[in-house]
């Protein structure tokens, strides 16, 4: 696979300033696509930006991904993460890569190129557990993380199940499913005054908390004087 030739055939491609073996192109006004080829020419790392394109951040992400060979090869996990990244005033502390079956950046246009590209983006360590399967990776990347938005805030890895005897709301089945921080806070706030209700949630480290209200607050069967605060929840999720 000749990656450089395949990129050149896309059209309206220019070199990324200050980064060798890297190119960028804009398929429409809101998007900027940037791709850096690995040193041996056998793999590439692509970062897409929506609405706001920060050239310095993009260059730093591509350099970091290339240095770590992030997500390279057909045996890579659907989601791969490398920590220790930082750039400017951004809070990102990692770079993540999604595999070809997850991102599909060149699907339907150049399948051969698609199969040798990692989709990379700046990320937060608290967003990933590291063992996500293909279905979970697609859900996270396409519907939750907004990886093309460089101004985004953390979307912590969060699985939850719950039941509320007052609202009659609840999750389906015994397993915890992916949800968002605001949903967790809402359901925690609805526990008071609903005896027999609970919210159980899990973070990226696999740590689990079960919060109940039975006339007083219980967290993992330990009585608490006050309901869980937003700062406590953020700390539990690893994204303070």
């Amino acid at each position: 696979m000749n990656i450089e030739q395949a990129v050149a055939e896309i059209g309206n491609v220019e070199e990324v300033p200050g980064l060798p073996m890297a190119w960028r192109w804009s398929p429409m006004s809101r998007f900027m696509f940037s791709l850096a080829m690995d040193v041996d020419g056998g793999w590439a790392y692509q970062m897409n930006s929506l609405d706001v394109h920060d050239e310095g951040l993009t260059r730093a992400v591509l350099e970091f991904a290339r240095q770590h060979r992030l997500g390279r090869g057909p045996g890579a996990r659907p989601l791969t993460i490398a920590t220790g990244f930082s750039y400017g005033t951004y809070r990102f502390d990692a770079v993540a890569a999604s595999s070809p079956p997850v991102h599909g950046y060149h699907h339907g246009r150049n399948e051969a190129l698609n199969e040798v590209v990692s989709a990379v983006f700046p990320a937060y360590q608290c967003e990933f557990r590291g063992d996500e399967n293909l279905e979970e990776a697609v859900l996270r990347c396409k519907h939750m993380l907004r990886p093309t938005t460089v101004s985004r805030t953390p979307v912590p890895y969060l699985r939850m199940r719950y039941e509320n005897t007052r609202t009659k709301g609840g999750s389906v089945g015994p397993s915890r499913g992916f949800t968002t921080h605001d949903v967790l806070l809402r359901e925690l706030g609805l526990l008071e005054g609903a005896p027999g209700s609970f919210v159980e949630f899990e973070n990226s480290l696999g740590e689990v908390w079960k919060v109940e209200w039975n006339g007083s607050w219980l967290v993992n069967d330990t009585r608490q004087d006050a309901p869980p605060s937003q700062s406590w929840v953020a700390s539990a999720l690893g994204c303070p």
Side-chain angles (χ1 to χ4, degrees):
M1 176 64 198
N2 188 323
I3 295 175
E4 184 173 1
Q5 179 180 338
V7 172
E9 291 173 354
I10 293 173
N12 298 317
V13 174
E14 61 182 14
E15 294 184 353
V16 174
L19 187 61
M21 299 185 297
W23 305 269
R24 65 185 183 189
W25 66 98
S26 180
M28 57 181 291
S29 59
R30 297 183 64 197
F31 282 98
M32 178 66 75
F33 297 170
S34 304
L35 178 147
M37 191 167 60
D38 222 336
V39 292
D40 63 3
W43 198 262
Y45 310 92
Q46 182 172 330
M47 177 174 165
N48 293 354
S49 301
L50 173 65
D51 290 331
V52 176
H53 174 68
D54 187 321
E55 184 175 298
L57 175 64
T58 300
R59 186 166 54 243
V61 168
L62 293 176
E63 287 179 326
F64 190 87
R66 182 155 63 188
Q67 177 186 355
H68 289 79
R69 310 185 86 185
L70 201 55
R72 174 170 173 152
R77 297 195 62 85
L79 274 174
T80 309
I81 185 169
T83 59
F85 175 80
S86 64
Y87 178 78
T89 59
Y90 290 96
R91 293 173 55 200
F92 299 117
D93 59 5
V95 172
S98 62
S99 65
V102 176
H103 64 72
Y105 276 177
H106 302 279
H107 178 64
R109 292 177 292 274
N110 189 327
E111 299 295 343
L113 177 60
N114 192 77
E115 293 306 306
V116 293
V117 170
S118 294
V120 298
F121 55 97
Y124 303 91
Q125 185 175 354
C126 66
E127 296 178 317
F128 306 94
R129 180 160 161 170
D131 62 353
E132 291 84 353
N133 60 32
L134 179 58
E135 181 182 3
E136 293 167 343
V138 170
L139 172 65
R140 294 289 285 158
C141 289
K142 294 189 179 297
H143 302 288
M144 300 186 76
L145 293 176
R146 298 183 299 132
T148 60
T149 304
V150 300
S151 60
R152 70 187 187 89
T153 54
V155 183
Y157 181 102
L158 168 59
R159 287 181 175 273
M160 184 180 86
R161 71 183 186 99
Y162 71 102
E163 184 175 336
N164 191 295
T165 59
R166 178 163 53 86
T167 66
K168 306 304 180 184
S171 50
V172 177
S175 300
R176 293 181 288 271
F178 281 111
T179 190
T180 55
H181 184 215
D182 60 325
V183 173
L184 172 60
L185 290 176
R186 182 193 71 203
E187 293 303 326
L188 287 172
L190 291 171
L191 283 179
E192 190 166 5
S197 303
F198 72 89
V199 172
E200 182 182 270
F201 67 98
E202 173 186 355
N203 67 8
S204 62
L205 299 177
E207 298 169 332
V208 178
W209 288 267
K210 187 174 184 179
V211 182
E212 303 169 85
W213 189 89
N214 285 304
S216 61
W217 292 95
L218 295 174
V219 177
N220 288 352
D221 295 322
T222 300
R223 196 170 300 279
Q224 306 293 315
D225 295 330
S229 65
Q230 290 192 29
S231 60
W232 178 85
V233 172
S235 178
L237 295 177
C239 289

